[in-house]
Amino acid sequence: EVQLVESGGDLVKPGGSLRLSCAASGFVFSTYNMGWVRQGPGKDLEWIAGIDGGSTRTTYATSVKGRFTISRDNANNTVTLQMSSLNTEDTAVYYCATSFPRFANRRSCVKGYCFPDTSQGTQVTVSS
């Protein structure tokens, strides 16, 4: 089954930086786009970043463009989100997600990126 395990969340002050990581298994990692979605308190899931299998194209939501950078390591089946200039609006649970289609244990999907029911996410809190 698909497993996506996020790490790196923390409490950080406004203006600070943080690096999130995700370890993937259960599918041919290099074949599919990977992304990050987040859910702030009382808000819907929001897709924020995506990267294609060959790391040739990255896309970002307007809310994070210019501040966040997504990257991947196909040799180690990992994807990373480097976040900078964090503000209170970035407070959320962050989930790693994949475009691998219709996997059996998927929980939620946003813009074609899905994460499994085993995902815990990683909490990012931006506060002074």
Side-chain angles (χ1 to χ4, degrees), residues 41-73:
K43 298 181 181 179
D44 292 335
L45 283 169
E46 175 190 19
W47 168 86
I48 56 171
I51 185 168
D52 70 347
S55 299
T56 59
R57 185 169 181 260
T58 56
T59 51
Y60 299 94
T62 302
S63 58
V64 307
K65 196 169 186 178
R67 301 187 298 121
F68 291 10
T69 301
I70 187 171
S71 60
R72 65 190 294 162
D73 179 351

PDB file of all heavy atoms in Angstrom, residues 41-73:
ATOM      1  N   PRO A  41      -6.202  25.549  10.482  1.00  0.00           N
ATOM      2  CA  PRO A  41      -7.299  25.402  11.438  1.00  0.00           C
ATOM      3  C   PRO A  41      -8.604  25.965  10.891  1.00  0.00           C
ATOM      4  O   PRO A  41      -8.658  27.143  10.512  1.00  0.00           O
ATOM      5  CB  PRO A  41      -6.803  26.178  12.662  1.00  0.00           C
ATOM      6  CG  PRO A  41      -5.661  26.996  12.192  1.00  0.00           C
ATOM      7  CD  PRO A  41      -5.075  26.338  11.023  1.00  0.00           C
ATOM      8  N   GLY A  42      -9.615  25.127  10.829  1.00  0.00           N
ATOM      9  CA  GLY A  42     -10.905  25.550  10.334  1.00  0.00           C
ATOM     10  C   GLY A  42     -10.993  25.773   8.842  1.00  0.00           C
ATOM     11  O   GLY A  42     -11.974  26.325   8.344  1.00  0.00           O
ATOM     12  N   LYS A  43      -9.953  25.339   8.110  1.00  0.00           N
ATOM     13  CA  LYS A  43      -9.926  25.571   6.667  1.00  0.00           C
ATOM     14  C   LYS A  43      -9.972  24.253   5.898  1.00  0.00           C
ATOM     15  O   LYS A  43      -9.721  23.186   6.452  1.00  0.00           O
ATOM     16  CB  LYS A  43      -8.656  26.333   6.286  1.00  0.00           C
ATOM     17  CG  LYS A  43      -8.548  27.707   6.916  1.00  0.00           C
ATOM     18  CD  LYS A  43      -7.273  28.407   6.471  1.00  0.00           C
ATOM     19  CE  LYS A  43      -7.137  29.775   7.099  1.00  0.00           C
ATOM     20  NZ  LYS A  43      -5.873  30.461   6.688  1.00  0.00           N
ATOM     21  N   ASP A  44     -10.295  24.356   4.620  1.00  0.00           N
ATOM     22  CA  ASP A  44     -10.267  23.185   3.745  1.00  0.00           C
ATOM     23  C   ASP A  44      -8.828  22.836   3.373  1.00  0.00           C
ATOM     24  O   ASP A  44      -7.909  23.642   3.531  1.00  0.00           O
ATOM     25  CB  ASP A  44     -11.050  23.465   2.465  1.00  0.00           C
ATOM     26  CG  ASP A  44     -12.532  23.618   2.701  1.00  0.00           C
ATOM     27  OD1 ASP A  44     -13.037  23.060   3.699  1.00  0.00           O
ATOM     28  OD2 ASP A  44     -13.195  24.306   1.890  1.00  0.00           O
ATOM     29  N   LEU A  45      -8.658  21.642   2.843  1.00  0.00           N
ATOM     30  CA  LEU A  45      -7.367  21.254   2.303  1.00  0.00           C
ATOM     31  C   LEU A  45      -6.970  22.188   1.168  1.00  0.00           C
ATOM     32  O   LEU A  45      -7.805  22.557   0.331  1.00  0.00           O
ATOM     33  CB  LEU A  45      -7.416  19.820   1.776  1.00  0.00           C
ATOM     34  CG  LEU A  45      -7.362  18.698   2.805  1.00  0.00           C
ATOM     35  CD1 LEU A  45      -7.692  17.373   2.137  1.00  0.00           C
ATOM     36  CD2 LEU A  45      -6.003  18.637   3.472  1.00  0.00           C
ATOM     37  N   GLU A  46      -5.709  22.556   1.147  1.00  0.00           N
ATOM     38  CA  GLU A  46      -5.179  23.469   0.129  1.00  0.00           C
ATOM     39  C   GLU A  46      -3.944  22.844  -0.504  1.00  0.00           C
ATOM     40  O   GLU A  46      -2.964  22.564   0.186  1.00  0.00           O
ATOM     41  CB  GLU A  46      -4.817  24.817   0.768  1.00  0.00           C
ATOM     42  CG  GLU A  46      -4.161  25.796  -0.179  1.00  0.00           C
ATOM     43  CD  GLU A  46      -3.587  27.018   0.523  1.00  0.00           C
ATOM     44  OE1 GLU A  46      -3.372  26.976   1.756  1.00  0.00           O
ATOM     45  OE2 GLU A  46      -3.311  28.020  -0.165  1.00  0.00           O
ATOM     46  N   TRP A  47      -3.968  22.660  -1.812  1.00  0.00           N
ATOM     47  CA  TRP A  47      -2.768  22.229  -2.511  1.00  0.00           C
ATOM     48  C   TRP A  47      -1.812  23.422  -2.563  1.00  0.00           C
ATOM     49  O   TRP A  47      -2.215  24.545  -2.859  1.00  0.00           O
ATOM     50  CB  TRP A  47      -3.120  21.789  -3.928  1.00  0.00           C
ATOM     51  CG  TRP A  47      -1.929  21.595  -4.808  1.00  0.00           C
ATOM     52  CD1 TRP A  47      -1.169  20.472  -4.930  1.00  0.00           C
ATOM     53  CD2 TRP A  47      -1.336  22.581  -5.668  1.00  0.00           C
ATOM     54  NE1 TRP A  47      -0.146  20.696  -5.824  1.00  0.00           N
ATOM     55  CE2 TRP A  47      -0.228  21.982  -6.289  1.00  0.00           C
ATOM     56  CE3 TRP A  47      -1.635  23.900  -5.976  1.00  0.00           C
ATOM     57  CZ2 TRP A  47       0.587  22.661  -7.197  1.00  0.00           C
ATOM     58  CZ3 TRP A  47      -0.839  24.585  -6.876  1.00  0.00           C
ATOM     59  CH2 TRP A  47       0.260  23.965  -7.474  1.00  0.00           C
ATOM     60  N   ILE A  48      -0.515  23.184  -2.314  1.00  0.00           N
ATOM     61  CA  ILE A  48       0.408  24.305  -2.318  1.00  0.00           C
ATOM     62  C   ILE A  48       1.607  24.128  -3.239  1.00  0.00           C
ATOM     63  O   ILE A  48       2.189  25.136  -3.670  1.00  0.00           O
ATOM     64  CB  ILE A  48       0.916  24.641  -0.899  1.00  0.00           C
ATOM     65  CG1 ILE A  48       1.574  23.423  -0.242  1.00  0.00           C
ATOM     66  CG2 ILE A  48      -0.198  25.223  -0.051  1.00  0.00           C
ATOM     67  CD1 ILE A  48       2.278  23.763   1.055  1.00  0.00           C
ATOM     68  N   ALA A  49       1.991  22.899  -3.555  1.00  0.00           N
ATOM     69  CA  ALA A  49       3.174  22.735  -4.402  1.00  0.00           C
ATOM     70  C   ALA A  49       3.167  21.372  -5.079  1.00  0.00           C
ATOM     71  O   ALA A  49       2.646  20.405  -4.533  1.00  0.00           O
ATOM     72  CB  ALA A  49       4.452  22.889  -3.582  1.00  0.00           C
ATOM     73  N   GLY A  50       3.772  21.310  -6.270  1.00  0.00           N
ATOM     74  CA  GLY A  50       3.888  20.054  -6.999  1.00  0.00           C
ATOM     75  C   GLY A  50       5.179  20.001  -7.782  1.00  0.00           C
ATOM     76  O   GLY A  50       5.729  21.049  -8.158  1.00  0.00           O
ATOM     77  N   ILE A  51       5.657  18.785  -8.031  1.00  0.00           N
ATOM     78  CA  ILE A  51       6.879  18.591  -8.808  1.00  0.00           C
ATOM     79  C   ILE A  51       6.704  17.344  -9.652  1.00  0.00           C
ATOM     80  O   ILE A  51       6.161  16.329  -9.182  1.00  0.00           O
ATOM     81  CB  ILE A  51       8.112  18.493  -7.874  1.00  0.00           C
ATOM     82  CG1 ILE A  51       9.408  18.414  -8.678  1.00  0.00           C
ATOM     83  CG2 ILE A  51       7.990  17.330  -6.901  1.00  0.00           C
ATOM     84  CD1 ILE A  51      10.662  18.603  -7.807  1.00  0.00           C
ATOM     85  N   ASP A  52       7.161  17.379 -10.895  1.00  0.00           N
ATOM     86  CA  ASP A  52       6.984  16.216 -11.750  1.00  0.00           C
ATOM     87  C   ASP A  52       8.044  15.160 -11.432  1.00  0.00           C
ATOM     88  O   ASP A  52       8.975  15.405 -10.677  1.00  0.00           O
ATOM     89  CB  ASP A  52       6.990  16.619 -13.220  1.00  0.00           C
ATOM     90  CG  ASP A  52       8.356  17.056 -13.715  1.00  0.00           C
ATOM     91  OD1 ASP A  52       9.256  17.281 -12.885  1.00  0.00           O
ATOM     92  OD2 ASP A  52       8.519  17.183 -14.944  1.00  0.00           O
ATOM     93  N   GLY A  53       7.905  14.000 -12.064  1.00  0.00           N
ATOM     94  CA  GLY A  53       8.764  12.868 -11.730  1.00  0.00           C
ATOM     95  C   GLY A  53      10.235  13.107 -11.973  1.00  0.00           C
ATOM     96  O   GLY A  53      11.087  12.593 -11.247  1.00  0.00           O
ATOM     97  N   GLY A  54      10.526  13.884 -12.998  1.00  0.00           N
ATOM     98  CA  GLY A  54      11.910  14.142 -13.344  1.00  0.00           C
ATOM     99  C   GLY A  54      12.465  15.437 -12.804  1.00  0.00           C
ATOM    100  O   GLY A  54      13.561  15.857 -13.182  1.00  0.00           O
ATOM    101  N   SER A  55      11.704  16.083 -11.924  1.00  0.00           N
ATOM    102  CA  SER A  55      12.118  17.368 -11.336  1.00  0.00           C
ATOM    103  C   SER A  55      12.355  18.445 -12.401  1.00  0.00           C
ATOM    104  O   SER A  55      13.164  19.356 -12.201  1.00  0.00           O
ATOM    105  CB  SER A  55      13.397  17.222 -10.494  1.00  0.00           C
ATOM    106  OG  SER A  55      13.206  16.337  -9.418  1.00  0.00           O
ATOM    107  N   THR A  56      11.670  18.344 -13.511  1.00  0.00           N
ATOM    108  CA  THR A  56      11.836  19.352 -14.552  1.00  0.00           C
ATOM    109  C   THR A  56      10.843  20.503 -14.420  1.00  0.00           C
ATOM    110  O   THR A  56      11.042  21.572 -15.008  1.00  0.00           O
ATOM    111  CB  THR A  56      11.668  18.723 -15.942  1.00  0.00           C
ATOM    112  OG1 THR A  56      10.368  18.136 -16.033  1.00  0.00           O
ATOM    113  CG2 THR A  56      12.714  17.655 -16.187  1.00  0.00           C
ATOM    114  N   ARG A  57       9.776  20.277 -13.665  1.00  0.00           N
ATOM    115  CA  ARG A  57       8.746  21.316 -13.542  1.00  0.00           C
ATOM    116  C   ARG A  57       8.200  21.337 -12.121  1.00  0.00           C
ATOM    117  O   ARG A  57       7.834  20.300 -11.563  1.00  0.00           O
ATOM    118  CB  ARG A  57       7.620  21.050 -14.534  1.00  0.00           C
ATOM    119  CG  ARG A  57       6.558  22.134 -14.567  1.00  0.00           C
ATOM    120  CD  ARG A  57       5.629  21.943 -15.763  1.00  0.00           C
ATOM    121  NE  ARG A  57       4.620  22.995 -15.833  1.00  0.00           N
ATOM    122  CZ  ARG A  57       3.368  22.849 -15.405  1.00  0.00           C
ATOM    123  NH1 ARG A  57       2.982  21.709 -14.891  1.00  0.00           N
ATOM    124  NH2 ARG A  57       2.518  23.851 -15.494  1.00  0.00           N
ATOM    125  N   THR A  58       8.138  22.527 -11.577  1.00  0.00           N
ATOM    126  CA  THR A  58       7.510  22.722 -10.276  1.00  0.00           C
ATOM    127  C   THR A  58       6.398  23.744 -10.412  1.00  0.00           C
ATOM    128  O   THR A  58       6.467  24.647 -11.253  1.00  0.00           O
ATOM    129  CB  THR A  58       8.520  23.211  -9.220  1.00  0.00           C
ATOM    130  OG1 THR A  58       9.141  24.416  -9.693  1.00  0.00           O
ATOM    131  CG2 THR A  58       9.597  22.169  -8.946  1.00  0.00           C
ATOM    132  N   THR A  59       5.370  23.582  -9.620  1.00  0.00           N
ATOM    133  CA  THR A  59       4.255  24.522  -9.617  1.00  0.00           C
ATOM    134  C   THR A  59       3.900  24.848  -8.168  1.00  0.00           C
ATOM    135  O   THR A  59       4.077  24.009  -7.283  1.00  0.00           O
ATOM    136  CB  THR A  59       3.022  23.955 -10.336  1.00  0.00           C
ATOM    137  OG1 THR A  59       2.725  22.654  -9.804  1.00  0.00           O
ATOM    138  CG2 THR A  59       3.260  23.836 -11.833  1.00  0.00           C
ATOM    139  N   TYR A  60       3.379  26.052  -7.963  1.00  0.00           N
ATOM    140  CA  TYR A  60       3.081  26.519  -6.610  1.00  0.00           C
ATOM    141  C   TYR A  60       1.764  27.268  -6.588  1.00  0.00           C
ATOM    142  O   TYR A  60       1.392  27.942  -7.554  1.00  0.00           O
ATOM    143  CB  TYR A  60       4.189  27.450  -6.118  1.00  0.00           C
ATOM    144  CG  TYR A  60       5.545  26.798  -6.032  1.00  0.00           C
ATOM    145  CD1 TYR A  60       6.442  26.881  -7.094  1.00  0.00           C
ATOM    146  CD2 TYR A  60       5.926  26.085  -4.901  1.00  0.00           C
ATOM    147  CE1 TYR A  60       7.684  26.268  -7.031  1.00  0.00           C
ATOM    148  CE2 TYR A  60       7.168  25.471  -4.817  1.00  0.00           C
ATOM    149  CZ  TYR A  60       8.042  25.565  -5.902  1.00  0.00           C
ATOM    150  OH  TYR A  60       9.268  24.956  -5.834  1.00  0.00           O
ATOM    151  N   ALA A  61       1.108  27.179  -5.456  1.00  0.00           N
ATOM    152  CA  ALA A  61      -0.047  28.022  -5.220  1.00  0.00           C
ATOM    153  C   ALA A  61       0.421  29.459  -5.030  1.00  0.00           C
ATOM    154  O   ALA A  61       1.543  29.710  -4.571  1.00  0.00           O
ATOM    155  CB  ALA A  61      -0.810  27.552  -3.981  1.00  0.00           C
ATOM    156  N   THR A  62      -0.426  30.382  -5.375  1.00  0.00           N
ATOM    157  CA  THR A  62      -0.080  31.798  -5.250  1.00  0.00           C
ATOM    158  C   THR A  62       0.312  32.142  -3.813  1.00  0.00           C
ATOM    159  O   THR A  62       1.193  32.959  -3.579  1.00  0.00           O
ATOM    160  CB  THR A  62      -1.271  32.664  -5.684  1.00  0.00           C
ATOM    161  OG1 THR A  62      -1.618  32.336  -7.033  1.00  0.00           O
ATOM    162  CG2 THR A  62      -0.949  34.139  -5.584  1.00  0.00           C
ATOM    163  N   SER A  63      -0.328  31.490  -2.862  1.00  0.00           N
ATOM    164  CA  SER A  63      -0.109  31.797  -1.449  1.00  0.00           C
ATOM    165  C   SER A  63       1.313  31.498  -0.979  1.00  0.00           C
ATOM    166  O   SER A  63       1.751  32.050   0.030  1.00  0.00           O
ATOM    167  CB  SER A  63      -1.107  31.032  -0.588  1.00  0.00           C
ATOM    168  OG  SER A  63      -0.997  29.629  -0.808  1.00  0.00           O
ATOM    169  N   VAL A  64       2.025  30.630  -1.701  1.00  0.00           N
ATOM    170  CA  VAL A  64       3.368  30.251  -1.247  1.00  0.00           C
ATOM    171  C   VAL A  64       4.451  30.538  -2.290  1.00  0.00           C
ATOM    172  O   VAL A  64       5.642  30.384  -1.996  1.00  0.00           O
ATOM    173  CB  VAL A  64       3.432  28.768  -0.847  1.00  0.00           C
ATOM    174  CG1 VAL A  64       2.346  28.438   0.166  1.00  0.00           C
ATOM    175  CG2 VAL A  64       3.322  27.847  -2.064  1.00  0.00           C
ATOM    176  N   LYS A  65       4.066  30.931  -3.476  1.00  0.00           N
ATOM    177  CA  LYS A  65       5.039  31.139  -4.550  1.00  0.00           C
ATOM    178  C   LYS A  65       6.071  32.168  -4.142  1.00  0.00           C
ATOM    179  O   LYS A  65       5.729  33.219  -3.602  1.00  0.00           O
ATOM    180  CB  LYS A  65       4.317  31.566  -5.826  1.00  0.00           C
ATOM    181  CG  LYS A  65       5.162  31.447  -7.062  1.00  0.00           C
ATOM    182  CD  LYS A  65       4.305  31.625  -8.311  1.00  0.00           C
ATOM    183  CE  LYS A  65       5.106  31.369  -9.567  1.00  0.00           C
ATOM    184  NZ  LYS A  65       4.294  31.477 -10.789  1.00  0.00           N
ATOM    185  N   GLY A  66       7.324  31.832  -4.389  1.00  0.00           N
ATOM    186  CA  GLY A  66       8.408  32.733  -4.038  1.00  0.00           C
ATOM    187  C   GLY A  66       8.936  32.544  -2.633  1.00  0.00           C
ATOM    188  O   GLY A  66       9.999  33.061  -2.286  1.00  0.00           O
ATOM    189  N   ARG A  67       8.196  31.775  -1.818  1.00  0.00           N
ATOM    190  CA  ARG A  67       8.637  31.534  -0.444  1.00  0.00           C
ATOM    191  C   ARG A  67       8.948  30.052  -0.188  1.00  0.00           C
ATOM    192  O   ARG A  67       9.787  29.739   0.647  1.00  0.00           O
ATOM    193  CB  ARG A  67       7.545  31.976   0.541  1.00  0.00           C
ATOM    194  CG  ARG A  67       7.169  33.441   0.444  1.00  0.00           C
ATOM    195  CD  ARG A  67       6.206  33.859   1.553  1.00  0.00           C
ATOM    196  NE  ARG A  67       4.941  33.130   1.495  1.00  0.00           N
ATOM    197  CZ  ARG A  67       4.468  32.375   2.482  1.00  0.00           C
ATOM    198  NH1 ARG A  67       5.174  32.216   3.594  1.00  0.00           N
ATOM    199  NH2 ARG A  67       3.303  31.754   2.368  1.00  0.00           N
ATOM    200  N   PHE A  68       8.253  29.162  -0.894  1.00  0.00           N
ATOM    201  CA  PHE A  68       8.426  27.728  -0.697  1.00  0.00           C
ATOM    202  C   PHE A  68       9.097  27.126  -1.936  1.00  0.00           C
ATOM    203  O   PHE A  68       8.867  27.568  -3.058  1.00  0.00           O
ATOM    204  CB  PHE A  68       7.083  27.038  -0.483  1.00  0.00           C
ATOM    205  CG  PHE A  68       6.388  27.358   0.811  1.00  0.00           C
ATOM    206  CD1 PHE A  68       6.825  28.373   1.649  1.00  0.00           C
ATOM    207  CD2 PHE A  68       5.275  26.628   1.191  1.00  0.00           C
ATOM    208  CE1 PHE A  68       6.176  28.658   2.835  1.00  0.00           C
ATOM    209  CE2 PHE A  68       4.608  26.897   2.378  1.00  0.00           C
ATOM    210  CZ  PHE A  68       5.069  27.921   3.201  1.00  0.00           C
ATOM    211  N   THR A  69       9.893  26.086  -1.700  1.00  0.00           N
ATOM    212  CA  THR A  69      10.542  25.364  -2.792  1.00  0.00           C
ATOM    213  C   THR A  69      10.377  23.869  -2.580  1.00  0.00           C
ATOM    214  O   THR A  69      10.736  23.346  -1.525  1.00  0.00           O
ATOM    215  CB  THR A  69      12.037  25.706  -2.860  1.00  0.00           C
ATOM    216  OG1 THR A  69      12.193  27.117  -3.046  1.00  0.00           O
ATOM    217  CG2 THR A  69      12.692  24.977  -4.035  1.00  0.00           C
ATOM    218  N   ILE A  70       9.842  23.201  -3.585  1.00  0.00           N
ATOM    219  CA  ILE A  70       9.683  21.749  -3.520  1.00  0.00           C
ATOM    220  C   ILE A  70      10.799  21.086  -4.316  1.00  0.00           C
ATOM    221  O   ILE A  70      11.204  21.593  -5.367  1.00  0.00           O
ATOM    222  CB  ILE A  70       8.293  21.320  -4.056  1.00  0.00           C
ATOM    223  CG1 ILE A  70       8.060  19.819  -3.816  1.00  0.00           C
ATOM    224  CG2 ILE A  70       8.112  21.701  -5.520  1.00  0.00           C
ATOM    225  CD1 ILE A  70       6.623  19.373  -4.129  1.00  0.00           C
ATOM    226  N   SER A  71      11.285  19.972  -3.809  1.00  0.00           N
ATOM    227  CA  SER A  71      12.308  19.202  -4.506  1.00  0.00           C
ATOM    228  C   SER A  71      12.109  17.722  -4.190  1.00  0.00           C
ATOM    229  O   SER A  71      11.354  17.375  -3.278  1.00  0.00           O
ATOM    230  CB  SER A  71      13.712  19.669  -4.105  1.00  0.00           C
ATOM    231  OG  SER A  71      13.908  19.505  -2.715  1.00  0.00           O
ATOM    232  N   ARG A  72      12.794  16.885  -4.943  1.00  0.00           N
ATOM    233  CA  ARG A  72      12.649  15.444  -4.723  1.00  0.00           C
ATOM    234  C   ARG A  72      13.963  14.735  -4.975  1.00  0.00           C
ATOM    235  O   ARG A  72      14.816  15.229  -5.726  1.00  0.00           O
ATOM    236  CB  ARG A  72      11.550  14.854  -5.603  1.00  0.00           C
ATOM    237  CG  ARG A  72      11.831  14.920  -7.084  1.00  0.00           C
ATOM    238  CD  ARG A  72      10.588  14.536  -7.894  1.00  0.00           C
ATOM    239  NE  ARG A  72      10.200  13.141  -7.702  1.00  0.00           N
ATOM    240  CZ  ARG A  72       9.001  12.659  -7.992  1.00  0.00           C
ATOM    241  NH1 ARG A  72       8.067  13.448  -8.504  1.00  0.00           N
ATOM    242  NH2 ARG A  72       8.727  11.382  -7.803  1.00  0.00           N
ATOM    243  N   ASP A  73      14.095  13.564  -4.379  1.00  0.00           N
ATOM    244  CA  ASP A  73      15.257  12.705  -4.564  1.00  0.00           C
ATOM    245  C   ASP A  73      14.733  11.333  -4.939  1.00  0.00           C
ATOM    246  O   ASP A  73      14.290  10.570  -4.070  1.00  0.00           O
ATOM    247  CB  ASP A  73      16.067  12.664  -3.261  1.00  0.00           C
ATOM    248  CG  ASP A  73      17.296  11.779  -3.359  1.00  0.00           C
ATOM    249  OD1 ASP A  73      17.445  11.050  -4.361  1.00  0.00           O
ATOM    250  OD2 ASP A  73      18.109  11.810  -2.424  1.00  0.00           O
TER     251      ASP A  73
END
